[in-house]
Amino acid sequence: MFDIAPTEFMLVAFVALVVIGPKDLPKAMRVVGYWVGKARGVARQFRQGFDTMVREAELEEMEKRWAAENERIMREHPPAPPAALDDEAPATPTPVSLDKPSDHDGATAPVHDDTSDRPVTVEKPHIVPAAPGTPAHTPDGAPS
């Protein structure tokens, strides 16, 4: 902002010391600091207000562009009319029967009953400790 060289600053400090005097210099520096702080606060508030106005203008411009683009897309791709539910039967999956062979290798396809409200229960496996002297098995099935 201001370009004050160190020599210029020392000259101003020496003149202030001579003119104001060493006794009143701390009080004068407090007053100067107070007013410099006030000026910085006003400048900061002005800058924030200006930034807010610019941000709001940018948002307004983006909203206008978005609305124009949305309108263009809606003209190019109009929404499809809703299908009449009375004319069509509801689309329900047909279950696969276990009695009828599948198209794949003569195997039968499993039937999935998704309408069941019963909870699935799984029994906890019973783990029995191995007898002493029995070799432990690794996950691949080979004894260790």
Side-chain angles (χ1 to χ4, degrees):
M1 192 159 109
F2 296 111
D3 188 23
I4 300 176
T7 55
E8 293 171 347
F9 183 71
M10 289 181 71
L11 178 65
V12 169
F14 179 73
V15 170
L17 181 63
V18 170
V19 172
I20 298 174
K23 181 179 176 188
D24 294 330
L25 190 60
K27 183 178 179 183
M29 294 305 290
R30 276 195 299 274
V31 170
V32 168
Y34 173 79
W35 285 108
V36 167
K38 283 270 199 190
R40 284 185 177 178
V42 168
R44 182 176 42 248
Q45 186 176 5
F46 175 76
R47 193 175 326 122
Q48 286 176 349
F50 186 75
D51 289 345
T52 302
M53 288 186 334
V54 168
R55 203 173 313 120
E56 287 175 358
E58 287 175 352
L59 283 175
E60 232 176 78
E61 181 182 332
M62 287 175 61
E63 285 177 357
K64 286 178 183 176
R65 279 192 284 174
W66 177 82
E69 183 69 14
N70 190 29
E71 185 177 326
R72 182 190 64 80
I73 291 171
M74 292 304 285
R75 270 185 306 196
E76 289 177 5
H77 308 284
L85 296 177
D86 298 335
D87 297 341
E88 297 178 13
T92 57
T94 56
V96 178
S97 173
L98 286 176
D99 300 334
K100 185 168 75 172
S102 166
D103 294 337
H104 306 291
D105 300 334
T108 58
V111 174
H112 298 287
D113 185 17
D114 291 338
T115 60
S116 173
D117 291 337
R118 297 181 315 210
V120 177
T121 57
V122 178
E123 293 183 24
K124 184 177 180 182
H126 298 287
I127 301 175
V128 181
T134 307
H137 291 282
T138 58
D140 62 351
S144 59

mmCIF file of all heavy atoms in Angstrom, residues 4 10 13 30 37 39 50 56 76 87 93 100 106 110 117-118 120 124 139 144:
data_model
loop_
_atom_site.group_PDB
_atom_site.id
_atom_site.type_symbol
_atom_site.label_atom_id
_atom_site.label_comp_id
_atom_site.label_asym_id
_atom_site.label_seq_id
_atom_site.Cartn_x
_atom_site.Cartn_y
_atom_site.Cartn_z
ATOM 1 N N ILE A 4 7.171 2.756 2.319
ATOM 2 C CA ILE A 4 8.009 3.533 3.239
ATOM 3 C C ILE A 4 9.279 2.747 3.484
ATOM 4 O O ILE A 4 9.244 1.622 3.993
ATOM 5 C CB ILE A 4 7.278 3.796 4.573
ATOM 6 C CG1 ILE A 4 5.989 4.580 4.321
ATOM 7 C CG2 ILE A 4 8.173 4.543 5.535
ATOM 8 C CD1 ILE A 4 5.162 4.806 5.550
ATOM 9 N N MET A 10 12.602 5.702 10.104
ATOM 10 C CA MET A 10 13.443 6.167 11.221
ATOM 11 C C MET A 10 13.423 7.688 11.317
ATOM 12 O O MET A 10 13.424 8.249 12.422
ATOM 13 C CB MET A 10 14.867 5.648 11.061
ATOM 14 C CG MET A 10 14.975 4.144 11.301
ATOM 15 S SD MET A 10 16.632 3.533 11.151
ATOM 16 C CE MET A 10 17.382 4.202 12.589
ATOM 17 N N ALA A 13 10.123 8.605 12.948
ATOM 18 C CA ALA A 13 10.173 8.270 14.371
ATOM 19 C C ALA A 13 11.016 9.291 15.133
ATOM 20 O O ALA A 13 10.645 9.723 16.240
ATOM 21 C CB ALA A 13 10.731 6.867 14.546
ATOM 22 N N ARG A 30 -0.383 4.983 20.897
ATOM 23 C CA ARG A 30 -1.639 4.264 21.131
ATOM 24 C C ARG A 30 -2.772 4.874 20.328
ATOM 25 O O ARG A 30 -3.589 4.166 19.728
ATOM 26 C CB ARG A 30 -1.986 4.263 22.615
ATOM 27 C CG ARG A 30 -1.318 3.166 23.404
ATOM 28 C CD ARG A 30 -1.967 2.977 24.769
ATOM 29 N NE ARG A 30 -1.904 4.155 25.606
ATOM 30 C CZ ARG A 30 -0.892 4.476 26.406
ATOM 31 N NH1 ARG A 30 0.148 3.670 26.481
ATOM 32 N NH2 ARG A 30 -0.915 5.567 27.124
ATOM 33 N N GLY A 37 -6.115 0.949 13.307
ATOM 34 C CA GLY A 37 -6.983 -0.219 13.445
ATOM 35 C C GLY A 37 -8.388 0.056 12.935
ATOM 36 O O GLY A 37 -9.008 -0.783 12.271
ATOM 37 N N ALA A 39 -9.215 2.276 10.658
ATOM 38 C CA ALA A 39 -9.142 2.397 9.196
ATOM 39 C C ALA A 39 -9.057 1.009 8.554
ATOM 40 O O ALA A 39 -9.702 0.754 7.528
ATOM 41 C CB ALA A 39 -7.936 3.244 8.799
ATOM 42 N N PHE A 50 -17.882 -5.673 -0.886
ATOM 43 C CA PHE A 50 -17.643 -5.734 -2.326
ATOM 44 C C PHE A 50 -17.561 -7.181 -2.793
ATOM 45 O O PHE A 50 -18.151 -7.548 -3.805
ATOM 46 C CB PHE A 50 -16.347 -4.983 -2.653
ATOM 47 C CG PHE A 50 -16.095 -4.858 -4.121
ATOM 48 C CD1 PHE A 50 -16.813 -3.951 -4.886
ATOM 49 C CD2 PHE A 50 -15.146 -5.647 -4.746
ATOM 50 C CE1 PHE A 50 -16.586 -3.833 -6.242
ATOM 51 C CE2 PHE A 50 -14.919 -5.543 -6.097
ATOM 52 C CZ PHE A 50 -15.641 -4.629 -6.852
ATOM 53 N N GLU A 56 -22.635 -12.575 -5.247
ATOM 54 C CA GLU A 56 -24.066 -12.636 -5.547
ATOM 55 C C GLU A 56 -24.321 -12.413 -7.029
ATOM 56 O O GLU A 56 -25.181 -13.074 -7.629
ATOM 57 C CB GLU A 56 -24.819 -11.599 -4.716
ATOM 58 C CG GLU A 56 -24.942 -11.964 -3.257
ATOM 59 C CD GLU A 56 -25.589 -10.874 -2.420
ATOM 60 O OE1 GLU A 56 -25.921 -9.792 -2.977
ATOM 61 O OE2 GLU A 56 -25.755 -11.096 -1.222
ATOM 62 N N GLU A 76 -35.308 -29.772 -26.282
ATOM 63 C CA GLU A 76 -34.760 -30.845 -27.104
ATOM 64 C C GLU A 76 -35.294 -32.212 -26.703
ATOM 65 O O GLU A 76 -35.481 -33.084 -27.536
ATOM 66 C CB GLU A 76 -33.232 -30.849 -27.020
ATOM 67 C CG GLU A 76 -32.589 -29.681 -27.724
ATOM 68 C CD GLU A 76 -31.074 -29.678 -27.546
ATOM 69 O OE1 GLU A 76 -30.533 -30.631 -26.952
ATOM 70 O OE2 GLU A 76 -30.441 -28.715 -27.999
ATOM 71 N N ASP A 87 -54.184 -49.686 -19.070
ATOM 72 C CA ASP A 87 -54.018 -50.451 -20.295
ATOM 73 C C ASP A 87 -53.013 -51.580 -20.140
ATOM 74 O O ASP A 87 -53.119 -52.609 -20.782
ATOM 75 C CB ASP A 87 -53.560 -49.541 -21.437
ATOM 76 C CG ASP A 87 -54.617 -48.480 -21.745
ATOM 77 O OD1 ASP A 87 -55.784 -48.680 -21.344
ATOM 78 O OD2 ASP A 87 -54.260 -47.471 -22.375
ATOM 79 N N PRO A 93 -42.173 -60.151 -12.041
ATOM 80 C CA PRO A 93 -41.261 -61.184 -12.517
ATOM 81 C C PRO A 93 -41.924 -62.556 -12.425
ATOM 82 O O PRO A 93 -42.657 -62.860 -11.488
ATOM 83 C CB PRO A 93 -40.071 -61.073 -11.565
ATOM 84 C CG PRO A 93 -40.599 -60.413 -10.348
ATOM 85 C CD PRO A 93 -41.741 -59.556 -10.795
ATOM 86 N N LYS A 100 -38.853 -77.459 -14.416
ATOM 87 C CA LYS A 100 -38.537 -77.212 -15.808
ATOM 88 C C LYS A 100 -37.032 -77.002 -15.947
ATOM 89 O O LYS A 100 -36.456 -76.179 -15.233
ATOM 90 C CB LYS A 100 -39.295 -75.957 -16.253
ATOM 91 C CG LYS A 100 -39.147 -75.655 -17.723
ATOM 92 C CD LYS A 100 -40.124 -74.595 -18.171
ATOM 93 C CE LYS A 100 -39.681 -73.240 -17.691
ATOM 94 N NZ LYS A 100 -40.456 -72.149 -18.237
ATOM 95 N N GLY A 106 -28.829 -78.125 -19.167
ATOM 96 C CA GLY A 106 -29.806 -79.019 -18.572
ATOM 97 C C GLY A 106 -29.946 -78.858 -17.076
ATOM 98 O O GLY A 106 -30.645 -79.613 -16.419
ATOM 99 N N PRO A 110 -32.666 -72.007 -9.746
ATOM 100 C CA PRO A 110 -33.296 -71.903 -8.425
ATOM 101 C C PRO A 110 -34.438 -70.894 -8.442
ATOM 102 O O PRO A 110 -34.440 -69.955 -9.211
ATOM 103 C CB PRO A 110 -32.169 -71.424 -7.520
ATOM 104 C CG PRO A 110 -31.238 -70.708 -8.437
ATOM 105 C CD PRO A 110 -31.332 -71.414 -9.760
ATOM 106 N N ASP A 117 -41.785 -62.970 4.158
ATOM 107 C CA ASP A 117 -41.516 -62.058 5.253
ATOM 108 C C ASP A 117 -40.848 -62.772 6.419
ATOM 109 O O ASP A 117 -40.626 -62.172 7.460
ATOM 110 C CB ASP A 117 -42.815 -61.414 5.741
ATOM 111 C CG ASP A 117 -43.387 -60.460 4.714
ATOM 112 O OD1 ASP A 117 -42.598 -59.976 3.874
ATOM 113 O OD2 ASP A 117 -44.593 -60.204 4.747
ATOM 114 N N ARG A 118 -40.571 -64.054 6.243
ATOM 115 C CA ARG A 118 -39.948 -64.804 7.328
ATOM 116 C C ARG A 118 -38.482 -64.405 7.437
ATOM 117 O O ARG A 118 -37.799 -64.239 6.435
ATOM 118 C CB ARG A 118 -40.021 -66.304 7.061
ATOM 119 C CG ARG A 118 -41.412 -66.845 6.991
ATOM 120 C CD ARG A 118 -41.337 -68.315 6.744
ATOM 121 N NE ARG A 118 -40.331 -68.567 5.688
ATOM 122 C CZ ARG A 118 -40.376 -69.564 4.833
ATOM 123 N NH1 ARG A 118 -41.346 -70.433 4.910
ATOM 124 N NH2 ARG A 118 -39.463 -69.719 3.922
ATOM 125 N N VAL A 120 -34.538 -65.025 8.036
ATOM 126 C CA VAL A 120 -33.635 -66.131 7.749
ATOM 127 C C VAL A 120 -32.866 -66.440 9.026
ATOM 128 O O VAL A 120 -32.307 -65.555 9.656
ATOM 129 C CB VAL A 120 -32.656 -65.743 6.624
ATOM 130 C CG1 VAL A 120 -31.665 -66.845 6.373
ATOM 131 C CG2 VAL A 120 -33.420 -65.402 5.369
ATOM 132 N N LYS A 124 -25.798 -71.579 14.804
ATOM 133 C CA LYS A 124 -24.402 -71.369 15.132
ATOM 134 C C LYS A 124 -23.673 -72.707 15.027
ATOM 135 O O LYS A 124 -24.149 -73.720 15.553
ATOM 136 C CB LYS A 124 -24.286 -70.819 16.554
ATOM 137 C CG LYS A 124 -22.889 -70.488 16.963
ATOM 138 C CD LYS A 124 -22.867 -69.874 18.349
ATOM 139 C CE LYS A 124 -21.451 -69.557 18.749
ATOM 140 N NZ LYS A 124 -21.380 -69.006 20.092
ATOM 141 N N PRO A 139 -5.928 -73.962 5.939
ATOM 142 C CA PRO A 139 -7.158 -73.663 5.183
ATOM 143 C C PRO A 139 -7.235 -74.397 3.849
ATOM 144 O O PRO A 139 -8.312 -74.666 3.351
ATOM 145 C CB PRO A 139 -7.098 -72.154 4.954
ATOM 146 C CG PRO A 139 -6.213 -71.636 6.017
ATOM 147 C CD PRO A 139 -5.258 -72.742 6.341
ATOM 148 N N SER A 144 -0.475 -79.628 8.634
ATOM 149 C CA SER A 144 0.731 -78.811 8.818
ATOM 150 C C SER A 144 1.858 -79.598 9.441
ATOM 151 O O SER A 144 1.728 -80.630 9.999
ATOM 152 C CB SER A 144 0.419 -77.600 9.691
ATOM 153 O OG SER A 144 -0.069 -78.002 10.933
#
